[in-house]
Amino acid sequence: HRDLHSFPTRRSSDLPRFLRSLNVEHGKAFLDRAQSFIERTLTASRLPKNAFTISIMLQECQNGGSKFSTPTMGRLIERFVELQLGSHSEAVFVVDFETKRDFLSHLAGKVQSVMSIAEFRRRLTKFIEASKHPQTAEDFIQDFRKSGVFIFSGDEVKWAHPAFKQYFWVRNLVSNGKHRVITKALCRRFNPTLAALVGSQIRASDVPNLIQPLIDEVSKTPLPSLQSLVPEISQQARGIYEILS
């Protein structure tokens, strides 16, 4: 179908017009259902109306049942990772989705964004032997070349996008109960993608371990006094007035 990067976002009628332009086999009933789901989700979740969110929600409509829950940004990223690894394409990929996910969760917690192909193959072989999987390292590499999760360039392998590594890094830490490492990363700098991934993967029992340290960190930030705010607001108001006039 038409390149999703050309999806317009300025007018309220853009989404229906864009969906009608798609070349899909499901027909008008599917497009009406997809439009209703996407518009409801964008309104309820405040997700950005862009090519990524639209494309993943369309994919959800194609692969899902008749009813959908409102996804978060973390869930949409998670769904995208699943699609890249082949959760619905078993006939195309050699290694099953769960096995590749387990390996990548382990890998993201151990190595940096770039590694040599020899190191990548060594870690694959070690994982296969420890888990007694029937596939070979070349089977995994063949799948990863198709998936787009990694970029293979010369003698190096690197994550194709930071969100891939972040997703599996969070998964590794949550499964091992290492909440302090996640909290430190969230406190270090503003990272909405990482926050979304953490929010989509943590369990209810994990929340106190993550939230309280963040609250403690925020409490250290001094709030500006009313006396310091008034001059600043007045200056900004004058600047806006000058621009408008």
Side-chain angles (χ1 to χ4, degrees):
H1 57 70
R2 182 177 299 179
D3 185 0
L4 278 162
H5 290 290
S6 66
F7 172 67
T9 59
R10 293 182 180 178
R11 299 176 297 276
S12 60
S13 60
D14 286 339
L15 178 59
R17 186 182 299 112
F18 172 73
L19 291 176
R20 293 287 182 270
S21 72
L22 297 179
N23 181 21
V24 295
E25 300 176 357
H26 303 277
K28 186 176 183 297
F30 168 78
L31 294 177
D32 288 343
R33 179 163 155 262
Q35 178 184 335
S36 175
F37 166 63
I38 293 170
E39 288 183 337
R40 184 178 69 249
T41 297
L42 292 173
T43 301
S45 65
R46 303 293 179 89
L47 287 168
K49 188 179 182 182
N50 58 32
F52 174 75
T53 57
I54 298 296
S55 62
I56 300 302
M57 283 189 278
L58 274 173
Q59 189 71 38
E60 192 80 4
C61 291
Q62 290 178 304
N63 293 325
S66 58
K67 295 183 179 179
F68 310 100
S69 59
T70 300
T72 61
M73 178 56 81
R75 174 54 188 158
L76 289 181
I77 296 173
E78 183 178 9
R79 191 77 188 90
F80 179 66
V81 171
E82 293 171 0
L83 290 169
Q84 292 297 102
L85 286 178
S87 63
H88 293 283
S89 308
E90 284 75 11
V92 178
F93 292 90
V94 178
V95 185
D96 64 276
F97 165 73
E98 288 77 12
T99 301
K100 286 182 288 193
R101 185 178 60 184
D102 290 345
F103 168 71
L104 293 176
S105 298
H106 177 77
L107 184 73
K110 298 293 183 181
V111 299
Q112 299 301 316
S113 298
V114 182
M115 71 206 90
S116 67
I117 187 67
E119 174 68 9
F120 187 68
R121 186 175 281 105
R122 185 186 70 79
R123 290 185 177 276
L124 266 173
T125 302
K126 186 177 180 180
F127 171 79
I128 292 168
E129 291 175 350
S131 306
K132 294 180 171 59
H133 289 294
Q135 298 90 355
T136 67
E138 292 306 318
D139 290 331
F140 278 81
I141 291 174
Q142 176 183 332
D143 275 9
F144 288 138
R145 287 184 183 276
K146 295 178 184 177
S147 70
V149 173
F150 293 105
I151 295 175
F152 293 81
S153 177
D155 295 330
E156 289 187 340
V157 181
K158 64 180 179 180
W159 296 91
H161 192 279
F164 287 127
K165 185 178 188 331
Q166 288 177 347
Y167 169 77
F168 290 108
W169 182 76
V170 170
R171 182 177 177 83
N172 175 280
L173 293 174
V174 169
S175 63
N176 289 292
K178 296 182 179 180
H179 306 111
R180 185 174 296 181
V181 180
I182 297 175
T183 302
K184 286 183 177 179
L186 292 173
C187 289
R188 191 177 303 122
R189 64 186 180 90
F190 177 67
N191 190 326
T193 301
L194 178 60
L197 289 171
V198 172
S200 69
Q201 296 192 50
I202 60 173
R203 299 176 292 268
S205 58
D206 298 328
V207 173
N209 295 327
L210 282 167
I211 296 299
Q212 191 56 52
L214 293 173
I215 293 175
D216 295 341
E217 187 68 22
V218 171
S219 65
K220 299 176 184 178
T221 305
L223 295 176
S225 65
L226 181 61
Q227 290 78 9
S228 64
L229 279 176
V230 171
E232 180 68 23
I233 294 174
S234 298
Q235 183 179 356
Q236 291 183 10
R238 285 194 297 271
I240 294 173
Y241 175 77
E242 290 174 359
I243 292 173
L244 295 176
S245 58

